[in-house]
Amino acid sequence: MAKYRNQKCIHCLSFFKKLTEDHVFPSSWYPDSTPSNLEKWTVPACRLCNESLGKAEDELFSRFSMCLDENDIAALGLSRKKLLQNSTNPKAVG
């Protein structure tokens, strides 16, 4: 069952009967050092907004993740995640 029903999309403000869960901070942006019990906030978003903003976030992450010190605990695993994503999706290379 959908978590968000009969609400407005937080991005386009249109009303929808069913909405997706858009992560406030994209899931891929959390380093491996993130505690498993950390609450990952979500907001109601229509599928179109969630997918289009997800593509923009992915492009930003491509640029951002390659600038991080992979030995820093705060960035643990982020560069590796992006490299793995690029190897499975050649179009994702930024």
Side-chain angles (χ1 to χ4, degrees), residues 3-4 21-26 30 38-43:
K3 180 177 180 177
Y4 298 110
E21 291 183 47
D22 187 7
H23 289 86
V24 174
F25 300 106
Y30 289 95
L38 179 79
E39 181 180 358
K40 296 177 180 156
W41 300 338
T42 61
V43 293

Side-chain angles (χ1 to χ4, degrees), residues 15-91:
F15 181 84
F16 293 88
K17 288 188 178 197
K18 292 182 183 177
L19 292 158
T20 63
E21 291 183 47
D22 187 7
H23 289 86
V24 174
F25 300 106
S27 300
S28 61
W29 290 23
Y30 289 95
D32 293 346
S33 58
T34 303
S36 60
N37 64 346
L38 179 79
E39 181 180 358
K40 296 177 180 156
W41 300 338
T42 61
V43 293
C46 69
R47 184 162 310 282
L48 182 64
C49 286
N50 199 347
E51 288 175 359
S52 64
L53 289 170
K55 289 176 185 174
E57 291 164 348
D58 188 50
E59 184 177 329
L60 179 60
F61 181 63
S62 292
R63 297 167 191 261
F64 171 69
S65 65
M66 294 302 145
C67 298
L68 299 173
D69 177 2
E70 58 190 54
N71 297 314
D72 186 344
I73 190 76
L76 186 62
L78 292 177
S79 295
R80 181 180 40 79
K81 282 182 189 180
K82 189 59 196 170
L83 288 172
L84 289 172
Q85 182 183 44
N86 287 347
S87 68
T88 59
N89 182 7
K91 291 183 179 180

